[in-house]
Amino acid sequence: MNWLDIAAAAVPLAAVYGGTFAYQRTPRARVARALNDVGLTHYMHVKHAHDGGPYGVLTADINTVMPIEKWWDYAPKIAQQLNRHTPLITPRDKGVRLQFLPAGDNPDMTALTTWDTPNPQATPNLRGLPIARDPYGNTWRMPVFGAHWLVLGAIGSGKGSVIWSLITGLAPAIRAGTVKLWGVDPKGGVELGFGEVMFDRLVYNGADPAAWETNLAALFAAARTAMDARLERMRGTSRLHEPTPDEPLIVLVVDEFLTLTLGIADRTLKTQIERDLIMVLSKGRAAGVTVIACAQLAQKDALSANLRDLFPYRVGLRMTDAEQARMALGGDAVRNGAECHRIPDTRPGAAYIVGEKGRPRAVRFPWTSDTRILEIAREYRNRPTRRTAPEDGPSKKDTILALHAAHPEWEPTRIAQDAGCSDRCVRQLIRKAATTC
């Protein structure tokens, strides 16, 4: 048999398999054939594909005019042809990008490895802070401006990782004054106290429960007042607040969120807090007031559906059972793969994200050590403008007492910083005023 006979025999084989054997082994060819097998060849062109990366991800860039919503209908069929898991689908210029993980058990959580907290960007994008990663090695960006977030997970699931990844991303904006960080820490300041100098207002409980509840109510009342004032000024001129140093974005971080509904003994204050909270969640996005709330339980008796639905974005960390996952993220999200109850306890910070579009996405937030938090706090501390009284203005004593009256939750150190005097002076004046009263 000469070479002409061999070539003649090879032509039918090439026709059957759609090309040469070497061509069929390339990632681009495998994806093209999978698209052909599900009937999509006439609608698109595989521009580029590569297989590999740290998690063995098959990535394909496809030029197409087919809407991304229809891709979700074909995604399981394409994945089956390639013997891989249902892909992550993201829009790109002139088409879409498909990213397939290798077949295996629980692919999202297996591929999510721990990583270091990223350094704060010089000019953070408040519409997308890069604070987490997905199983494909992509950076996930968290929208803060114009968004409310509800973070749910069991004890030790990594809620602190979410909080400090967020604060780290916001740090340059906090120092620049375009973001004001307000905080609620029912654990006596143990969680948020490490970065207290970054907060404009921080309320945490202490030995006096009544004072804690009063300060908590005052904080939410102040948030609602600031929101209403902005909306009044925006009427007829703008539909969305733009953060500036004069009117910054207010980010209200609430740890142990359920204490607002289950841990307040004074019924009047509890009603007031819930009313102000609902108004802030309903109207705050347009006025530049964002709420980031963290809680452990998602049951109906702990977190009502009406309150839960006011958070358009949710983070589901490890949970104890499937029912909690359904209540936290919704039944559709769990059916689409957001199985928070299957996240192993060896992967704190691993979570599923559900946004306004409803498609879940697996990510992992980095662990931020106490040392790193203190370093960030020292470098990016909140620097309020000192209130220095003119010669013919109010005295320093009046300034201190006025600050204490306006912000009873402030520590003497914070008042001394604003008034430009020593902590000892502030403590003496407050003690004397309380004795006189």
Side-chain angles (χ1 to χ4, degrees):
M1 179 181 291
N2 57 29
W3 67 271
L4 291 175
D5 296 329
I6 296 175
V11 169
L13 288 175
V16 171
Y17 287 99
T20 65
F21 293 108
Y23 174 78
Q24 285 299 311
R25 285 197 295 267
T26 65
R28 182 170 177 267
R30 296 204 309 271
V31 174
R33 182 161 185 174
L35 296 178
N36 179 67
D37 290 343
V38 300
L40 293 177
T41 305
H42 301 293
Y43 298 97
M44 56 212 63
H45 169 67
V46 182
K47 182 179 179 181
H48 173 73
H50 65 272
D51 194 352
Y55 310 124
V57 178
L58 172 60
T59 302
D61 293 333
I62 301 173
N63 290 346
T64 177
V65 295
M66 188 168 74
I68 193 171
E69 291 78 11
K70 289 188 177 181
W71 276 97
W72 287 106
D73 298 331
Y74 285 97
K77 301 176 184 177
I78 301 172
Q80 185 177 11
Q81 294 295 324
L82 295 169
N83 191 28
R84 287 179 174 258
H85 285 284
T86 301
L88 172 70
I89 304 174
T90 52
R92 55 176 295 274
D93 186 31
K94 298 182 181 179
V96 296
R97 168 170 289 182
L98 307 184
Q99 291 179 290
F100 302 85
L101 282 171
D105 295 334
N106 203 4
D108 291 338
M109 295 303 119
T110 302
L112 286 172
T113 56
T114 186
W115 55 298
D116 295 331
T117 306
N119 292 322
Q121 295 180 326
T123 306
N125 181 5
L126 299 179
R127 289 177 171 83
L129 289 177
I131 63 173
R133 287 182 183 172
D134 66 12
Y136 309 89
N138 304 318
T139 298
W140 177 76
R141 297 178 179 272
M142 177 180 187
V144 179
F145 179 73
H148 297 308
W149 285 88
L150 180 61
V151 182
L152 295 166
I155 296 174
S157 59
K159 293 186 288 295
S161 296
V162 180
I163 291 175
W164 288 110
S165 299
L166 167 69
I167 295 176
T168 300
L170 291 173
I174 293 172
R175 184 172 61 181
T178 54
V179 170
K180 289 296 184 184
L181 200 60
W182 294 10
V184 175
D185 188 351
K187 293 185 288 191
V190 171
E191 181 65 47
L192 303 181
F194 270 92
E196 184 171 0
V197 294
M198 301 179 70
F199 284 82
D200 187 62
R201 303 184 68 166
L202 179 59
V203 178
Y204 50 85
N205 61 346
D208 187 354
W212 146 253
E213 294 179 2
T214 301
N215 295 338
L216 192 60
L219 180 72
F220 281 96
R224 180 178 178 180
T225 300
M227 175 192 70
D228 291 340
R230 287 182 180 179
L231 292 175
E232 182 73 22
R233 290 190 294 270
M234 290 167 56
R235 184 183 301 120
T237 60
S238 175
R239 293 186 298 172
L240 188 64
H241 172 75
E242 288 294 336
T244 64
D246 293 330
E247 289 197 348
L249 173 69
I250 298 174
V251 179
L252 178 54
V253 179
V254 184
D255 194 20
E256 303 298 342
F257 181 64
L258 295 182
T259 58
L260 304 183
T261 57
L262 302 178
I264 304 298
D266 189 310
R267 292 187 177 182
T268 303
L269 290 178
K270 179 180 178 180
T271 302
Q272 176 185 334
I273 291 171
E274 290 180 348
R275 182 174 63 248
D276 291 338
L277 173 63
I278 289 173
M279 296 305 296
V280 169
L281 290 173
S282 301
K283 303 187 295 182
R285 297 171 66 188
V289 181
T290 294
V291 178
I292 312 292
C294 301
Q296 293 181 15
L297 303 176
Q299 286 95 333
K300 293 179 180 178
D301 56 346
L303 188 61
S304 66
N306 293 335
L307 191 59
R308 190 166 53 240
D309 290 343
L310 292 175
F311 290 90
Y313 297 92
R314 302 178 196 174
V315 178
L317 296 154
R318 175 176 54 84
M319 298 184 185
T320 56
D321 55 63
E323 183 63 23
Q324 283 201 14
R326 282 190 289 270
M327 290 184 180
L329 303 182
D332 290 341
V334 176
R335 283 190 292 272
N336 287 327
E339 298 179 322
C340 300
H341 56 291
R342 297 188 184 276
I343 298 176
D345 56 8
T346 56
R347 294 187 179 272
Y352 287 97
I353 307 293
V354 176
E356 292 179 305
K357 295 182 180 180
R359 287 286 176 181
R361 184 170 180 178
V363 302
R364 191 172 189 183
F365 294 89
W367 162 252
T368 308
S369 66
D370 295 347
T371 302
R372 179 60 176 155
I373 293 173
L374 292 175
E375 291 174 354
I376 294 172
R378 282 194 298 267
E379 184 176 357
Y380 296 97
R381 63 182 297 159
N382 173 43
R383 293 185 175 91
T385 303
R386 287 185 179 273
R387 298 177 177 86
T388 303
E391 293 183 359
D392 56 349
S395 65
K396 188 169 292 187
K397 173 183 176 181
D398 294 336
T399 302
I400 293 172
L401 294 178
L403 286 172
H404 178 63
H407 305 284
E409 76 281 1
W410 280 9
E411 292 293 322
T413 303
R414 175 62 191 279
I415 297 176
Q417 182 184 17
D418 277 24
C421 63
S422 66
D423 294 3
R424 181 181 178 185
C425 177
V426 173
R427 296 179 190 278
Q428 287 177 347
L429 284 174
I430 293 176
R431 190 182 303 114
K432 185 176 180 180
T435 304
T436 303
C437 293

